[in-house]
Each structure stands twice: as structure tokens, then as C-alpha cells.
Amino acid sequence: MEQILNLEGKLVCRLDRKKGVVEIVRRGYITSILLKPDGKSEVINSKKQKER
């Protein structure tokens, strides 16, 4: 996934152009935006799992 940074160099989101997915991680939650071929989108919200 490609990392998208703001002007301060902080991560804003990650982008997978091939799959059409934008992923935003903030305060322990993941928002995934799936861009579908028909022009519609699907938003999936989930809680980030702690890494071990």
C-alpha cells in the first residue's frame, strides 16, 4: 500500500490503487473505503487489533 502523508510528513491514509482501497487508521479504528468498478463505494469500519 502507498502511504499518503500531509505537509508535516504525518500519515493521513494508505492507498492500494490496484484493489481500489483507501485505508484510514485513527485512534484505534480502521476505516476502509472500497472503490467499486461501477462507481459506487463501500465503507467498512472496524476496531484495530493490538499487535503482539
Side-chain angles (χ1 to χ4, degrees):
M1 286 193 151
E2 176 183 348
Q3 294 188 350
I4 308 300
L5 307 175
N6 65 14
L7 291 175
E8 294 179 351
K10 294 187 179 190
L11 181 65
V12 175
C13 66
R14 295 188 296 183
L15 172 65
D16 187 331
R17 293 179 192 270
K18 290 182 183 177
K19 293 182 180 179
V21 176
V22 177
E23 184 177 88
I24 303 165
V25 178
R26 184 170 169 106
R27 296 184 180 177
Y29 293 92
I30 301 172
T31 300
S32 297
I33 304 166
L34 310 172
L35 307 172
K36 298 185 176 189
D38 63 0
K40 295 183 180 181
S41 61
E42 179 181 354
V43 177
I44 300 170
N45 291 296
S46 59
K47 189 165 186 162
K48 183 177 177 184
Q49 294 181 1
K50 293 184 180 181
E51 296 179 18
R52 296 180 184 192

